[in-house]
């Protein structure tokens, strides 16, 4: 099973991203767009794991989420990884309080303690919108143009989920294996 920890995108921020994706899908950009149903902010990717590891992973996630409390986040800007000259992933950035970085760090350290390597890159909270097809680039000025269509929207993250990514003919479907309420 393929597992990761994330925060679902809810309410007005979800509606804003879905509206933006609607406009982006109408372009001829060489991008595989994400499904609306799976919008989330990934905090820790465990990858392919055996079912026997599920209990210890759930325990690490529970421990990391203890005392975090709900987080006030904000849909922020658009960007790409790794760079604007060689984009592979198009994303919507998330503005966040220090509590999100602390939660991310606790998940990274908890994962490392049970045998999962830390990410190794600086934490940049984001929601993946799509992946640029291999060997292609975005049209010149595309990111700036799309960014004008995004409204910064605040939202509250009240849940932390351990997701299983299940591959289907229509792309990945994310199934919640564990849902934790973020309450102090």
């Amino acid at each position: 099973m393929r597992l990761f920890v994330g925060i679902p995108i809810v309410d007005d921020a979800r509606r804003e991203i879905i509206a933006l994706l609607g406009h982006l899908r109408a372009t001829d950009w060489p991008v595989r767009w994400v499904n609306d149903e799976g919008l989330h902010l990934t905090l820790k990717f465990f990858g392919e794991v055996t079912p026997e590891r599920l209990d210890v992973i759930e325990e690490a996630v529970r421990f990391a989420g203890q005392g975090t409390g709900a987080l006030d986040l904000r849909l922020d800007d658009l960007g790409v990884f790794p760079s604007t000259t060689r984009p592979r992933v198009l994303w919507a950035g998330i503005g966040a309080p220090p509590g999100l970085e602390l939660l991310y760090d606790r998940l990274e350290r908890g994962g490392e303690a049970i045998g999962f390597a830390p990410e190794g890159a600086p934490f940049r909270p984001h929601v993946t919108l799509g992946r640029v097809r291999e060997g292609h680039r975005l049209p010149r000025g595309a990111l700036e143009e799309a960014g004008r269509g995004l409204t910064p929207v605040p939202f509250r993250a009240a849940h932390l989920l351990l997701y299983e990514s299940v591959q289907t003919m229509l792309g990945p479907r994310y199934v919640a294996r564990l849902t934790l309420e973020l309450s102090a």
Side-chain angles (χ1 to χ4, degrees), residues 1-6 44-47 49-66 103 106-107 110-116 160-164 175-182:
M1 65 181 49
R2 193 172 171 89
L3 300 176
F4 67 92
V5 178
K44 175 67 180 165
F45 183 71
F46 291 103
V49 300
T50 61
E52 296 79 31
R53 304 277 331 257
L54 184 58
D55 287 343
V56 72
I57 291 170
E58 286 180 351
E59 184 179 329
V61 172
R62 279 190 182 94
F63 184 77
Q66 284 180 345
L103 176 58
R106 291 168 88 183
L107 286 163
E112 190 173 24
I114 59 173
F116 295 92
L160 181 67
L161 278 73
L162 176 63
Y163 289 101
E164 179 181 358
V175 178
R177 300 294 302 214
L178 173 69
T179 301
L180 299 175
E181 186 173 344
L182 293 175

Side-chain angles (χ1 to χ4, degrees), residues 80 82-87 136-137:
V80 292
S83 70
T84 55
T85 57
R86 308 235 7 119
H136 290 85
R137 296 183 186 216

